[in-house]
Amino acid sequence: MDDQDLVRAGLAALLRAAPSVEAVYEAASGEQAVTTAATHRPDVILMDIQMPDMDGIAATSRILSGACNPMPRILILTTFDLDEYVHAALLAGASGFLLKTTPAERLFAAIDAVAAGDLPFTSSITRTLIRHYIQQQPLVLRAGSDTALTPREQDVLRLVGHGLDNGDIAERLHLAEGTVKSHLHRAMTKLNLTSRAQAVAFAFQSGLVRP
C-alpha cells in the first residue's frame, strides 16, 4: 500500500517474483488499503505511512479493528525513521516497522517472519523505545487478564527488551529457536501485546529491563 506509483509497482514486482508469495494486491491510498484488505484478506500487508485520504497509521488501525481471525500482519514500510511514527505504528497494532532502504532480501525475510507469527522490527526501534522510556513518557499498554509469566517467559521477554533476536536468545538460553518463539508468543498472549516492539516497551515498564 503506497501512494507513489513507481515505488508501489516496484515493490509489487519484487513480491510477485518471491517464491513464498501467492498473490499481490495494490492500493494507492489509505481508504483503498482498508477496502482492499477487507476484500482480499491478505496474510501480510506492507503499509506506507504518508498516503492520501487516510495515512497508513489510521489505515492500520482501521484494518485491524475490522479484521476477523486470522488477523493480518501489517509491516510499516516508510522513508521516515521518526519516533512519533514508531510509537503511532506500535499503538495501532503494526507487527513491524521497516525503512524503504531495507534490502530486498531482508524485506522478504521480514514478510516470511510475520506470516509465520514472528514480529520483526529494526534494532533502531529498540533504541527509540528505550529512549522514550528514559524520557519518562511510557507507552500505555493494556495487559490481558492472565498476566502470570513463567520464569522462562520472563527470561525471554528480558532478552527481547535488550534487543536480541530469537536466534540470539536461543543461543543465550540454550534453547531451540522454535522454543523461544513459543515462550514469546505465550507471554505476549498473556499480556495482550500485538508486536515485538510492545514486548520491548513492556520489558522496560515492568522492570524486567532497566535503562
Side-chain angles (χ1 to χ4, degrees):
M1 316 298 185
D2 195 295
D3 64 322
Q4 298 180 38
D5 292 343
L6 202 58
V7 173
R8 191 175 68 254
L11 280 172
L14 280 174
L15 293 172
R16 289 189 177 103
S20 60
V21 177
E22 295 182 1
V24 178
Y25 308 101
E26 300 180 40
S29 70
E31 290 285 0
Q32 287 183 19
V34 173
T35 302
T36 302
T39 301
H40 298 289
R41 299 186 62 189
D43 297 314
V44 178
I45 299 171
L46 294 181
M47 182 71 74
D48 191 17
I49 287 182
Q50 294 192 341
M51 294 193 295
D53 300 333
M54 178 191 304
D55 66 45
I57 302 299
T60 294
S61 182
R62 281 270 302 276
I63 289 170
L64 294 177
S65 64
C68 301
N69 286 326
M71 300 284 283
R73 299 283 185 170
I74 299 181
L75 277 172
I76 301 295
L77 192 61
T78 181
T79 308
F80 307 100
D81 187 13
L82 300 179
D83 287 8
E84 58 265 31
Y85 290 156
V86 173
H87 299 145
L90 165 62
L91 293 177
S95 295
F97 190 103
L98 299 175
L99 297 179
K100 289 183 179 179
T101 53
T102 300
E105 61 273 14
R106 186 173 178 185
L107 174 60
F108 295 154
I111 291 171
D112 290 342
V114 295
D118 202 357
L119 302 158
F121 63 102
T122 62
S123 59
S124 65
I125 294 180
T126 302
R127 293 192 292 272
T128 293
L129 290 170
I130 292 171
R131 182 167 62 250
H132 195 74
Y133 180 88
I134 293 172
Q135 292 172 346
Q136 298 182 347
Q137 298 174 351
L139 296 167
V140 178
L141 302 176
R142 183 179 62 196
S145 57
D146 179 12
T147 58
L149 301 179
T150 67
R152 187 56 87 190
E153 288 166 356
Q154 292 182 41
D155 290 340
V156 170
L157 268 181
R158 184 178 297 108
L159 293 176
V160 167
H162 281 294
L164 276 67
D165 62 24
N166 290 342
D168 291 335
I169 294 172
E171 184 176 350
R172 183 76 63 88
L173 297 179
H174 306 290
L175 298 172
E177 189 169 345
T179 303
V180 170
K181 290 181 180 179
S182 296
H183 284 307
L184 180 58
H185 176 74
R186 284 196 295 269
M188 292 179 63
T189 299
K190 289 178 179 180
L191 299 169
N192 196 32
L193 306 176
T194 59
S195 74
R196 196 180 186 99
Q198 285 188 349
V200 173
F202 176 85
F204 277 85
Q205 292 179 16
S206 65
L208 284 172
V209 176
R210 298 188 181 279

